[in-house]
Amino acid sequence: MKIDKTAIAGMLAVSAAVLAGCDDRVCVDKQGRRVAEQYCGGHSGGGVVPGGFYYVSGWRGGGIGTVDGVARGGFGGEAAGHGGASGE
Amino acid sequence: MQRIAVPPRVDWQARVEALGLAWHTAAGAPYWNESAYYAFTLDEIDRIEAATAALYGLFLEAGDYVVSQRLYDRFGIPDWCWPLIEEAWKAEPPALNYGRFDLGFDGHGTPKLFEFNCDTPTSLVEAAVIQWDWKTEVFPAYDQFNSLHDKLVAKWRDIGPYLAPGAPVHFTHARESTGEEAVTTAYLMDTARSAGLATEGLLISDIGWDGRGYVDLQSREIRTLYHLYPWEWLVKEPFGRHLLETRDRTLWIEPIWKMIWSNKAILPILWDLHPRHENLLWATRDRPVSDSYVRKPILAREGANIRLVKDGRDLAVTDGSYADAPVVYQGLYDLPDFDGVRPVIGSWVVDGAPAGMGVREDGLITGNLSRFTPHIIYG
């Protein structure tokens, strides 16, 4: 059996990207697309019209945020209550 | 079956981290344990493989029985999920059909089933990648019961044509401090990409609902979703109520009928259908039938809330957050004892067929701090 180590080493970059989404909140534009946090800090320009922060972890008290019809945070609360680990 | 001490590779931490195993040490002790290995004969591997194949057949039959008799209340499954389970069971939507049978085996008798973890099984990276890399370097002339990686890629390639065209396969997991779930999910993404599929990753808490469907962070509809997140949590959460209306829009891998197989309420049903099957331990819902047994919640993770009783006396008890959950009772299996270390075989299936195994070792109860120890086949 061959294992492509070059491909697997890329896992770390993917993991980092996935883990980078670990913030309690994300900054989204008016269309609900994720944008850099600077745009939710009052900065505008570069073609981005800021929408606002969404709290993506509903259990943290931020609730399910909604902008332009996109609600987020409706999954994931049970994991928080069980210490995060959902594997078996 | 032997357990043999061996010096770890000098730079083992860097080597396993380079392959993605960031959680190689837990509570100050190595979780990935290459200070020893298990050596199995080919005959022993054949017996494990045969047991795995036989057990998968038993689970298919038991699943048919549960669905036909509508025994969902024994599993604590909400009634609004029942039609989804029945539809998915009968339709057999594209899936990896993978999972890990936890087995007791001492090299002499027949392997015995403890449980089947097939909704969100972990230790996959260790079994598929890390131990293979170790064997290639330390025991290049020997074999290992391990074709997990190839079989996962092949299965993605098989189901690719049946997934929503033009849409990536999304991969999701919950935020978790060790990084294990992120890397396990990332590994499965990699196997899908190796099969030629486009992929996107996102945390489960980032999934959006736009009033018509589940969407990702770019508000694109999620058409195919691999989830390292258990069904019993999904169906309890606010966005779970949209599962019914999106049944034709979002394909979940693994499918919702896995709620039956991964739930330990299946164990007494298996025993009722096949009493004294050579690969089964007795199991009941109401009370133990001997004074040596294991009492465990039907839905619990990583060895939580388990009570081991031998000759009427507690051998071991673990705590956890499942103390009030319904339980089953299962016959006690005497794990082999290698100087206080007791291994449990994790035998994997992909596409319903045996694909490899890993060995985790601990004391009497295998929990999340159990060590993963590699193996070879000799003789």
Side-chain angles (χ1 to χ4, degrees):
Chain A
M1 181 190 75
K2 282 185 189 175
I3 291 185
D4 182 348
K5 287 194 186 181
T6 302
I8 291 170
M11 260 198 315
L12 281 178
V14 173
S15 303
V18 173
L19 286 169
C22 272
D23 292 337
D24 287 335
R25 60 185 188 179
V26 294
C27 176
V28 296
D29 64 12
K30 286 289 187 188
Q31 284 70 47
R33 292 181 296 238
R34 187 172 190 173
V35 297
E37 281 211 10
Q38 63 196 56
Y39 292 106
C40 287
H43 173 84
S44 63
V48 176
V49 179
F53 280 113
Y54 286 97
Y55 289 87
V56 293
S57 297
W59 68 276
R60 287 191 181 241
I64 299 174
T66 307
V67 160
D68 288 340
V70 180
R72 297 187 192 274
F75 282 136
E78 286 286 325
H82 287 90
S86 44
E88 41 182 359
Chain B
M1 178 179 178
Q2 301 176 63
R3 185 180 191 273
I4 302 166
V6 66
R9 294 169 292 178
V10 170
D11 56 349
W12 69 268
Q13 292 99 325
R15 288 179 179 273
V16 303
E17 283 174 14
L19 292 172
L21 196 73
W23 62 96
H24 52 69
T25 302
Y31 159 70
W32 164 256
N33 176 34
E34 59 177 74
S35 69
Y37 66 95
Y38 286 87
F40 294 86
T41 66
L42 193 55
D43 174 71
E44 289 166 345
I45 295 295
D46 285 346
R47 276 186 277 154
I48 292 170
E49 192 169 2
T52 302
L55 285 166
Y56 196 83
L58 296 186
F59 270 79
L60 284 171
E61 182 184 343
D64 270 337
Y65 183 73
V66 169
V67 170
S68 68
Q69 302 299 312
R70 305 199 105 206
L71 300 178
Y72 308 112
D73 55 336
R74 298 190 191 179
F75 296 77
I77 296 174
D79 54 12
W80 64 267
C81 296
W82 300 0
L84 288 174
I85 290 175
E86 288 169 1
E87 280 175 19
W89 179 260
K90 291 168 187 169
E92 297 183 46
L96 296 176
N97 290 330
Y98 84 127
R100 189 191 77 240
F101 286 105
D102 285 349
L103 306 174
F105 182 63
D106 62 5
H108 302 298
T110 52
K112 300 289 190 186
L113 174 73
F114 295 150
E115 59 197 51
F116 188 22
N117 295 300
C118 59
D119 184 13
T120 58
T122 50
S123 75
L124 178 63
V125 173
E126 300 90 302
V129 176
I130 310 299
Q131 68 170 350
W132 182 261
D133 181 72
W134 169 89
K135 183 215 78 72
T136 303
E137 185 171 345
V138 181
F139 288 102
Y142 290 84
D143 205 352
Q144 186 178 83
F145 180 25
N146 189 354
S147 57
L148 267 164
H149 183 80
D150 287 352
K151 287 191 159 76
L152 285 166
V153 174
K155 188 59 182 171
W156 282 117
R157 199 172 283 127
D158 276 349
I159 67 174
Y162 302 97
L163 305 181
V169 179
H170 285 82
F171 286 75
T172 193
H173 65 94
R175 181 211 325 233
E176 175 267 335
S177 60
T178 69
E180 177 179 9
E181 300 197 2
V183 177
T184 302
T185 306
Y187 170 65
L188 280 158
M189 280 177 70
D190 188 72
T191 58
R193 280 198 301 273
S194 296
L197 301 179
T199 63
E200 289 281 345
L202 76 168
L203 289 175
I204 192 91
S205 48
D206 282 348
I207 291 176
W209 174 256
D210 69 357
R212 291 164 302 170
Y214 297 115
V215 297
D216 64 11
L217 282 166
Q218 286 71 43
S219 293
R220 295 172 300 183
E221 189 176 17
I222 296 172
R223 301 299 311 279
T224 304
L225 181 62
Y226 168 85
H227 58 107
L228 189 65
Y229 196 79
W231 275 110
E232 71 256 26
W233 292 353
L234 288 167
V235 302
K236 285 187 205 173
E237 295 182 334
F239 282 1
R241 64 177 179 264
H242 301 305
L243 287 165
L244 268 171
E245 65 195 277
T246 56
R247 70 224 278 176
D248 295 327
R249 297 295 304 165
T250 301
L251 174 76
W252 293 75
I253 294 175
E254 296 287 271
I256 192 171
W257 61 256
K258 286 292 186 84
M259 291 183 82
I260 301 174
W261 281 8
S262 264
N263 187 312
K264 294 172 196 58
I266 196 74
L267 298 173
I269 294 174
L270 285 164
W271 183 254
D272 287 345
L273 291 173
H274 293 277
R276 289 176 291 283
H277 189 282
E278 64 173 357
N279 298 125
L280 296 178
L281 297 163
W282 66 257
T284 60
R285 287 190 294 148
D286 303 315
R287 65 184 68 83
V289 297
S290 88
D291 58 3
S292 295
Y293 59 89
V294 179
R295 178 184 182 277
K296 49 189 173 183
I298 62 173
L299 288 167
R301 298 176 178 277
E302 296 177 334
N305 298 102
I306 289 183
R307 177 182 299 271
L308 266 61
V309 177
K310 185 164 186 176
D311 300 327
R313 299 173 68 175
D314 281 350
L315 261 189
V317 179
T318 58
D319 60 12
S321 55
Y322 302 90
D324 298 328
V327 299
V328 296
Y329 299 88
Q330 188 180 47
L332 181 67
Y333 179 87
D334 277 332
L335 287 170
D337 185 342
F338 294 93
D339 294 325
V341 173
R342 296 173 184 271
V344 171
I345 306 294
S347 184
W348 288 86
V349 292
V350 176
D351 196 17
M357 78 178 193
V359 182
R360 287 172 303 147
E361 53 183 26
D362 203 334
L364 289 167
I365 296 176
T366 306
N368 65 338
L369 296 183
S370 300
R371 297 178 303 182
F372 191 104
T373 302
H375 76 274
I376 62 167
I377 305 173
Y378 80 104

